[in-house]
């Protein structure tokens, strides 16, 4: 067994260089390069079918790359698979569990699979149950668990062997907000204890919580970095433009008015307010009077920064424009 | 041990899953017993105590004597006495009886006068095995009576020829003895192959296979872990089937039960390995089921279960040579009926073991430890 080696601390826990995977003529992942430092949470975003799951599967040695290399925990996923496997945990999109088995039996099975027996198995079992609060459901069949509990059980199973790297493929799809928040609390806790997390998600608020994010679009990684760095990219903050948040008493009508104005580059609804990208020359007063002319009052203008959603929208537009 | 890593975990899980999944367990255990009993009775070709109608127009001691000779063969059973040949024909035509015996008036007079005394036997030819048996018995009765009378007339006590056939193994010529060991072979084939095929494909469908691939489990650990529980269950089932054979069908096991048990285990291993091999090809459970059914028909027709292999065209005989069922049926018949020893059936066992090992190895080679 490979004990965590302090000398690898400075090396990235996950590293892809020019990673490419083709299925026949279709290229699912195209020349993807990124790295994830130990103890960080990497958020991997992108629309369905963009190649997120394929990247995870290559990193978990479930698929072989067509080109490029991938290393996890310092081990090559193709040539050093057997060394790599004990280091990783994987929670698939479907929360793959054995429906006929109870919660207790599912956990015991994965424990045994990773070589736990007797007292060691019991000790690890108790730790996992305490951590995920699965206690009341121990004798329930996995088939009868609700989404949130299935996800907890699947995560416990993936954590049985205390992996250094945990891959979670859309862990929060279809679960309630309470379970979602509790999951993230756990993930932060793991990260603080040195575990490296690789999480795919569709939720922008989850992306904001990550220490590093990557955005994959049409099989290519079009953005990768710390959320703060991404928000400072020039593509996201075009020169001569500024971002403002505008609160008013009728945001829906406001959007309709503003979308026809040449100095408004983009306008997005955000609850009762609007996020705008406008020419730096346009003043708040000009905006306020324009809205009031159209019968919209209680206008309050505040400067704001880009959200990660703004980042991904800008970069996607640019990628699509480049393709055209 | 390392290539079997994870074997015990899979074994633990697989036993639980099998026991928790009553449907698969039911599919494995129940139909075989029903099929066994149904096949066993349906394939009964011994024709005895056939329903027979009698038209005795002679009413003499001699006519009654000859009827008695017929009945004593145990082939015929008089269930109806009719008054005319029309009624006799009608009884056969309507299916009330299989055979009609007509002793015409003047039967005993002809006999006494040394003329040929005629008996007419109507046989329902719509069932060939019944017809053949009735015909043979009727002719044999007449021939035996004739010989006895000729001998008497010639003043000799001894017949010039006598063939004394001695039937070794299965002296009563009971058809269950011949068919039931074969039925067990076919029934086991139907019930086992699909089980391993389905179980691995189900993991693929559910995504749990993906989870296993991520773990340090090795392929031999997975494949053996999948196979052993089903070997255990189908072993129990085979035991039940042999119990039905000797209990219900009264077929005693002439040879060693241990040899039979060993042969059965080798056979089951080969079948289950075949199931695993099919699962490496099948995309879903439906396909797995269909693939395993493909092997059932040849096992019924070309294994020597019903039709003797020696009379088959070479192509069918070759197909039969590729099927584990062929060797199992040969072995089972040998041990159960002829009391064959381990040394006698060793060639068949070697083939069975080779098939099992070959299928399993092929499966381990073909099994892709990857997705996509």
């Amino acid at each position: 067994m490979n004990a965590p080696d302090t000398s690898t601390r400075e090396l990235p826990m996950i590293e892809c260089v020019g990673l490419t995977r083709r299925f026949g003529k279709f290229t699912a992942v195209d020349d993807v390069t990124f790295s994830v430092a130990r103890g960080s949470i990497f958020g991997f975003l992108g629309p369905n079918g963009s190649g997120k799951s394929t990247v995870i599967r290559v990193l978990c040695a479930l698929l072989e790359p067509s080109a490029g290399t991938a290393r996890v925990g310092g081990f090559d996923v193709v040539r050093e698979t057997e060394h790599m496997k004990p280091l990783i945990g994987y929670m698939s999109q479907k929360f793959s569990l054995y429906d006929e088995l109870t919660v207790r039996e599912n956990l015991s099975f994965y424990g045994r699979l990773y070589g736990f027996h007797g007292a060691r198995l019991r000790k690890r079992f108790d730790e996992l149950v305490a951590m995920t609060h699965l206690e009341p459901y121990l004798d329930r069949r996995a088939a009868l668990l609700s989404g949130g509990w299935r996800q907890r059980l699947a995560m416990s199973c993936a954590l049985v062997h205390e992996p250094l790297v945990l891959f979670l493929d859309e862990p929060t799809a279809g679960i309630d907000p309470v379970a979602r928040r509790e999951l993230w609390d756990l993930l932060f806790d793991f990260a603080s204890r040195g575990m490296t997390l690789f999480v795919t998600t569709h939720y922008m608020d989850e992306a904001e919580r990550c220490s590093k994010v990557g955005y994959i679009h049409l099989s290519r990684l079009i953005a990768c970095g710390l959320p703060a760095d991404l928000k400072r990219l020039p593509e996201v903050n075009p020169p001569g433009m500024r971002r403002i948040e505008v609160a008013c008493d009728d945001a829906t009508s406001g959007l309709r008015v503003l979308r026809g104005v040449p100095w408004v580059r983009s306008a997005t609804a955000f609850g009762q307010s609007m996020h705008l990208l406008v020419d730096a020359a346009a003043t708040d007063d000009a905006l306020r009077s324009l809205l009031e002319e159209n019968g919209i009052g209680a206008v309050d203008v505040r400067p704001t920064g880009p959200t990660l959603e703004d980042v991904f929208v800008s970069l996607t537009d640019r990628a699509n424009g480049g393709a055209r | 041990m390392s290539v079997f890593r994870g074997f015990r975990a899979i074994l633990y899980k697989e036993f639980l899953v099998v026991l928790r999944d009553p449907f698969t367990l039911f599919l494995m255990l129940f139909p075989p017993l029903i099929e066994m009993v149904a096949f066993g009775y349906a394939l009964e070709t011994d024709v005895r105590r056939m329903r027979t109608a009698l038209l005795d127009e002679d009413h003499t001691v001699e006519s009654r004597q000859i009827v008695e000779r017929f009945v004593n063969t145990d082939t015929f059973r008089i269930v109806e006495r009719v008054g005319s040949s029309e009624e006799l024909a009608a009884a056969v035509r309507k299916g009330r009886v299989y055979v009609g015996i007509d002793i015409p008036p003047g039967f005993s007079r002809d006999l006494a006068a040394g003329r040929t005394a005629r008996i007419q036997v109507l046989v329902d030819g719509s069932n060939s095995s019944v017809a053949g048996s009735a015909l043979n018995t009727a002719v044999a009765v007449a021939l035996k009576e004739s010989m006895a009378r000729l001998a008497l007339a010639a003043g000799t006590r001894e017949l010039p020829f006598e063939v004394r056939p001695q039937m070794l193994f299965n002296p009563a010529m009971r058809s269950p003895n011949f068919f039931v060991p074969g039925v067990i072979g076919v029934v086991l084939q139907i019930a086992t192959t699909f089980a391993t095929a389905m179980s691995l494909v189900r993991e693929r469908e559910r995504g749990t296979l993906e989870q296993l691939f991520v773990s340090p489990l090795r392929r031999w650990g997975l494949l053996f872990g999948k196979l052993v529980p089903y070997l255990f269950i189908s072993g129990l089932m085979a035991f039940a089937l042999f119990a039905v054979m000797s209990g219900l069908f009264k077929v005693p096991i002439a040879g060693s039960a241990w040899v039979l048990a060993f042969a059965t285990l080798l056979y089951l291993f080969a079948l289950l390995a075949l199931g695993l091999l099919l699962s490496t090809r099948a995309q879903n459970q439906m396909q797995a089921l269909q693939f395993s059914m493909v092997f059932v028909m040849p096992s019924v027709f070309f294994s020597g279960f019903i039709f003797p292999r020696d009379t088959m065209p070479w192509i069918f005989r070759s197909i039969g040579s590729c099927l584990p069922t062929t060797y199992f049926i040969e072995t089972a018949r040998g041990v159960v009926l002829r009391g064959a020893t381990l040394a006698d059936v060793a060639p068949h066992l070697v083939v069975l073991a080779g098939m099992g090992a070959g299928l399993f190895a092929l499966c381990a080679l073909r099994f892709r430890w990857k997705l996509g």
Side-chain angles (χ1 to χ4, degrees), chain B residues 206-342:
Chain B
R206 278 195 197 159
T208 45
L209 200 59
E210 204 173 315
Q211 211 68 49
L212 296 181
F213 286 171
V214 175
S215 78
L217 171 70
R218 294 292 192 89
R219 69 179 68 200
W220 294 93
L222 173 66
L223 296 175
F224 263 116
K226 279 273 169 199
L227 196 145
V228 170
Y230 291 102
L231 191 62
F232 185 79
I233 291 169
S234 52
L236 281 181
M237 181 171 76
F239 182 80
L241 292 177
F242 280 115
V244 169
M245 175 183 86
S246 56
L248 188 65
F249 291 107
K250 310 284 181 216
V251 180
I253 299 173
S256 152
W258 291 110
V259 174
L260 193 60
F262 181 59
T264 307
L265 277 185
L266 287 180
Y267 176 52
L268 291 174
F269 185 88
L271 292 178
L272 293 170
L274 176 65
L276 283 178
L277 187 63
L278 296 179
S279 74
T280 61
R281 270 274 160 193
Q283 295 300 314
N284 50 51
Q285 294 190 56
M286 195 58 190
Q287 262 188 11
L289 199 59
Q290 286 168 340
F291 284 170
S292 48
M293 285 306 142
V294 164
F295 286 84
V296 170
M297 287 302 261
S299 298
V300 169
F301 290 114
F302 307 139
S303 65
F305 164 47
I306 300 176
F307 310 113
R309 295 185 64 229
D310 293 332
T311 58
M312 282 179 197
W314 68 270
I315 174 84
F316 296 143
R317 201 159 57 230
S318 317
I319 296 174
S321 306
C322 304
L323 300 167
T325 313
T326 306
Y327 300 92
F328 174 74
I329 291 181
E330 276 295 313
T331 308
R333 276 185 189 149
V335 175
V336 171
L337 301 180
R338 301 195 298 269
T341 62
L342 183 61

Side-chain angles (χ1 to χ4, degrees), chain A residues 61-62 85 90 98 100 105, chain B residues 20 203 206 210-211 371:
Chain A
L62 290 169
K85 277 183 176 176
Y90 168 55
Y98 292 96
E100 305 89 339
E105 289 159 350
Chain B
R20 289 288 162 70
E203 296 229 22
R206 278 195 197 159
E210 204 173 315
Q211 211 68 49
L371 303 170

Side-chain angles (χ1 to χ4, degrees), chain B residues 118-186:
Chain B
R118 292 193 162 76
I119 304 173
Q120 193 179 20
V121 177
L122 304 179
V123 179
D124 176 0
S126 60
N127 182 331
S128 65
S129 64
V130 169
S133 184
L135 213 59
N136 288 341
T137 315
V139 170
V141 167
L143 206 61
K144 204 173 163 204
E145 264 327 277
S146 305
M147 292 307 284
R149 283 182 185 271
L150 282 176
L152 205 64
T156 54
R157 294 224 154 153
E158 304 283 326
L159 288 175
F161 293 108
E162 187 183 6
V163 175
R164 286 194 169 177
Q166 188 186 359
M167 195 70 76
L168 298 172
F169 329 120
N170 195 10
M173 291 281 278
R174 294 180 63 229
S175 68
N177 294 23
F178 180 71
F179 278 117
V180 171
V183 170
I184 291 179
V186 170

Side-chain angles (χ1 to χ4, degrees), chain A residues 53-93:
Chain A
S53 295
T54 305
V55 170
I56 281 208
R57 286 175 173 167
V58 170
L59 291 174
C60 290
L62 290 169
L63 287 173
E64 284 194 6
S66 308
T69 57
R71 300 177 85 81
V72 175
F75 295 110
D76 187 282
V77 297
V78 178
R79 282 176 288 116
E80 296 165 309
T81 314
E82 295 308 319
H83 293 289
M84 183 206 84
K85 277 183 176 176
L87 305 184
I88 63 165
Y90 168 55
M91 185 171 126
S92 71
Q93 236 172 46

